[in-house]
């Protein structure tokens, strides 16, 4: 019954043709054959594409879906270059390091911003490149997949026993080889006190074929050695979820890990409560727990996706009326300068102003003192 409903939903919104993306391919070949150059893009999409200085990378299977969705669609806007990326008057308010990673950087590709958890960044590469990426001013699309001073990482963890959770980020950690992932997991399980491991990835959207038997085996093995392994998949629009993407997520879940979502609120992509509701409906059918809805960062080169907090709060307030409370993601914002994530929908201080937003978006004042 569950699978039947999911199939109907995927067919209804993506079309059953989403299965018809050519024969299965090896993920390393998919990576090599990504569209990267201006001429590759123009040839493939058969239209004029703006020339920009930022790196571009689109896996071919995703490119087929984008081409079907047409110019200006949410898929197109997320991955195809736009002349707006280099328009000074739009981009001037953007930052090269919008969430302040540099302030918290440690030796060993570590960002330690919160007391009991840290980011581990073993690669700067992703399987594709999102035009709004908060790391777009650092991201690379060259062939250097692996770059880690790992002994420094282990030393840091041995000196910081307060760290309970390590978050593989990047780039995309699932671009590491299976052997490299297995090596890291072995080291973390045998030589540290880490209890939880989290992977932040966009692999299901970019390259679902990366969820190989070997990766499945590694996740199965280590899901028994840590209290919790979470995989947070980055998905912004319901059209990203087709049969193949959902099958790769099911496979991750079958390995004994939990799969959660993170979504970036983006102008021209998903800045509509009904689109977000449709996304959440599909995530739930695929067994993914909605986790984060990020307010867009002020990214240099990505300001055309930005919206002010008031607009974001209104969208989130409407969304709360459309989906059950347990399915509502946390709406969060990263404060520039490395000051961390905070709830984007809360009062502005510990001290209660007495003002609350009703489900209709009205401000009411109630004295709780
Ligand atoms: S997957 Fe994440 S890190 Fe990679 S390009 Fe997209 S937003 Fe940036």
């Amino acid at each position: 019954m569950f699978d039947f409903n999911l199939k109907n939903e995927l067919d209804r919104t993506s079309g059953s043709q989403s299965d018809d993306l050519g024969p299965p391919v090896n993920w390393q070949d998919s990576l090599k054959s990504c569209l990267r150059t201006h001429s590759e893009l123009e040839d493939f999409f058969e239209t004029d594409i703006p020339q920009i200085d930022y790196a571009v990378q689109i896996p071919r299977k995703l490119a087929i879906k984008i081409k079907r969705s047409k110019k200006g669609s949410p898929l197109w806007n997320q991955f195809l270059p736009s002349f707006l990326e280099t328009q000074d008057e739009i981009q001037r308010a953007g930052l090269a390091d919008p969430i302040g990673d540099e302030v918290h950087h440690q030796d060993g590709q570590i960002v330690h911003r919160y007391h009991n958890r840290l980011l581990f960044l073993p690669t700067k590469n992703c399987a594709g490149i999102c035009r709004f990426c908060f790391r777009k001013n650092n991201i690379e699309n060259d062939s250097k997949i692996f770059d880690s001073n790992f002994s420094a990482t282990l030393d840091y963890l041995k000196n910081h026993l307060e760290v309970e959770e390590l978050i593989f980020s990047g780039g995309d950690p699932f671009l590491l080889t299976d052997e490299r992932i297995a090596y890291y997991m072995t080291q973390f399980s045998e030589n540290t006190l880490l209890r939880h491991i989290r992977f932040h990835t966009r692999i299901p959207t970019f390259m679902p074929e990366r969820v190989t038997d070997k990766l499945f085996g590694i996740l199965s093995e280590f899901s028994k050695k840590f209290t919790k392994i979470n995989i947070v998949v980055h998905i912004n629009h319901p059209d990203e979820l087709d049969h193949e993407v959902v099958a790769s997520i099911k496979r991750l879940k079958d390995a004994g890990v939990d799969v959660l979502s993170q979504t970036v609120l983006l102008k021209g992509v998903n800045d509509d409560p009904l689109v977000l509701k449709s996304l959440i409906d599909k995530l739930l059918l695929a067994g993914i727990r909605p986790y984060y809805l990020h307010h867009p960062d002020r990214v240099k080169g990505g300001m055309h996706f930005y919206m002010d907090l008031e607009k974001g709060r209104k969208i989130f307030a409407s969304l709360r009326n459309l989906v059950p409370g347990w399915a509502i993601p946390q709406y969060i914002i990263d404060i520039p300068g490395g000051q961390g994530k905070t709830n984007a929908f809360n009062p502005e201080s510990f001290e209660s102003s007495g003002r609350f937003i009703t489900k209709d978006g009205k401000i009411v004042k109630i004295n709780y003192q």
Side-chain angles (χ1 to χ4, degrees):
M1 183 67 180
F2 175 84
D3 282 345
F4 176 74
N5 286 339
L6 177 56
K7 184 178 183 313
N8 284 351
E9 181 63 15
L10 293 171
D11 284 348
R12 188 179 64 75
T13 50
S14 311
S16 52
Q17 60 175 351
S18 58
D19 281 331
D20 181 25
L21 296 175
V25 285
N26 164 309
W27 71 271
Q28 285 97 339
D29 289 342
S30 299
L31 191 59
K32 277 186 219 142
S33 69
C34 283
L35 304 174
R36 293 187 175 87
T37 66
H38 184 249
S39 60
E40 281 172 342
L41 291 171
E42 290 206 327
D43 287 350
F44 186 89
F45 288 100
E46 300 174 285
T47 186
D48 293 341
I49 304 282
Q51 271 189 304
I52 52 165
D53 290 336
Y54 290 108
V56 179
Q57 183 168 307
I58 308 175
R60 281 182 189 259
K61 273 196 191 180
L62 177 63
I64 294 170
K65 286 200 279 184
I66 297 170
K67 195 171 175 184
R68 282 179 188 152
S69 76
K70 308 263 170 28
K71 216 171 201 170
S73 69
L75 284 183
W76 188 287
N77 290 348
Q78 285 190 76
F79 305 112
L80 266 295
S82 161
F83 71 93
L84 295 172
E85 292 177 52
T86 45
Q87 275 212 339
D88 270 2
E89 63 273 28
I90 295 176
Q91 303 299 345
R92 206 169 288 128
L95 304 166
D97 178 20
I99 69 168
D101 271 352
E102 283 307 318
V103 183
H104 299 283
H105 229 115
Q106 310 290 337
D107 277 352
Q109 280 76 46
I110 284 172
V111 176
H112 194 179
R113 195 191 318 261
Y114 304 98
H115 177 70
N116 66 345
R117 54 203 187 272
L118 57 73
L119 286 180
F120 174 49
L121 312 174
T123 176
K124 286 185 176 174
N125 292 70
C126 287
I129 295 179
C130 311
R131 306 318 313 152
F132 54 85
C133 178
F134 66 111
R135 296 200 175 111
K136 83 180 285 175
N137 293 279
N138 289 311
I139 213 149
E140 297 167 5
N141 69 348
D142 64 18
S143 56
K144 198 175 71 175
I145 300 293
F146 166 67
D147 177 17
S148 173
N149 176 8
F150 192 60
S151 58
T153 306
L154 281 183
D155 286 347
Y156 191 88
L157 287 168
K158 284 174 189 161
N159 290 321
H160 290 267
L161 300 180
E162 75 277 15
V163 178
E164 297 177 329
E165 182 181 35
L166 179 135
I167 303 164
F168 280 84
S169 186
D172 196 314
F174 286 144
L175 278 200
L176 302 171
T177 61
D178 294 322
E179 291 70 25
R180 179 57 58 179
I181 294 171
Y183 171 75
Y184 285 147
M185 296 296 267
T186 304
Q187 292 296 320
F188 292 143
S189 68
E190 291 179 359
N191 295 319
T192 75
L193 296 180
L194 288 169
R195 295 167 58 199
H196 313 300
I197 298 288
R198 199 190 317 170
F199 292 89
H200 281 203
T201 181
R202 199 139 163 64
I203 275 294
T205 290
F206 279 148
M207 221 165 265
E209 61 272 28
R210 170 65 186 98
V211 186
T212 57
D213 290 349
K214 238 175 165 179
L215 182 60
F216 175 86
I218 293 165
L219 293 171
S220 302
E221 179 187 345
F222 286 96
S223 66
K224 297 174 191 84
K225 296 188 178 173
F226 292 95
T227 307
K228 179 67 88 182
I229 296 183
N230 284 308
I231 297 185
V232 181
V233 294
H234 179 167
I235 300 179
N236 296 330
H237 191 276
D239 289 354
E240 290 173 46
L241 282 154
D242 64 17
H243 290 282
E244 195 181 359
V245 172
V246 169
S248 74
I249 287 164
K250 182 171 185 313
R251 196 150 169 68
L252 292 172
K253 285 172 64 75
D254 288 347
V257 305
D258 280 357
V259 179
L260 301 87
S261 69
Q262 60 173 329
T263 296
V264 187
L265 189 57
L266 297 165
K267 188 159 93 184
V269 174
N270 58 12
D271 53 339
D272 176 339
L274 290 175
V275 171
L276 291 171
K277 177 194 167 22
S278 162
L279 172 63
I280 288 173
D281 285 347
K282 262 179 142 175
L283 293 172
L284 294 175
L285 282 167
I288 303 169
R289 183 157 69 83
Y291 178 33
Y292 275 151
L293 176 66
H294 296 269
H295 190 75
D297 297 312
R298 290 183 163 275
V299 183
K300 182 172 167 244
M303 284 302 286
H304 50 302
F305 292 102
Y306 188 76
M307 70 193 78
D308 62 30
L309 194 52
E310 186 177 332
K311 178 166 182 199
R313 285 180 169 184
K314 284 180 178 162
I315 292 170
F316 186 72
S318 301
L319 180 66
R320 296 199 322 161
N321 288 336
L322 297 174
V323 294
W326 50 265
I328 296 171
Q330 296 179 38
Y331 176 38
I332 52 163
I333 186 166
D334 255 291
I335 303 174
Q339 298 181 73
K341 289 181 175 51
T342 189
N343 195 329
F345 196 65
N346 69 350
E348 285 77 6
S349 75
F350 283 126
E351 199 182 323
S352 170
S353 66
R355 295 192 308 156
F356 295 87
I357 302 175
T358 69
K359 67 183 170 53
D360 306 318
K362 292 196 189 104
I363 308 283
V364 294
K365 193 148 188 193
I366 300 171
N367 188 357
Y368 268 101
Q369 285 159 348

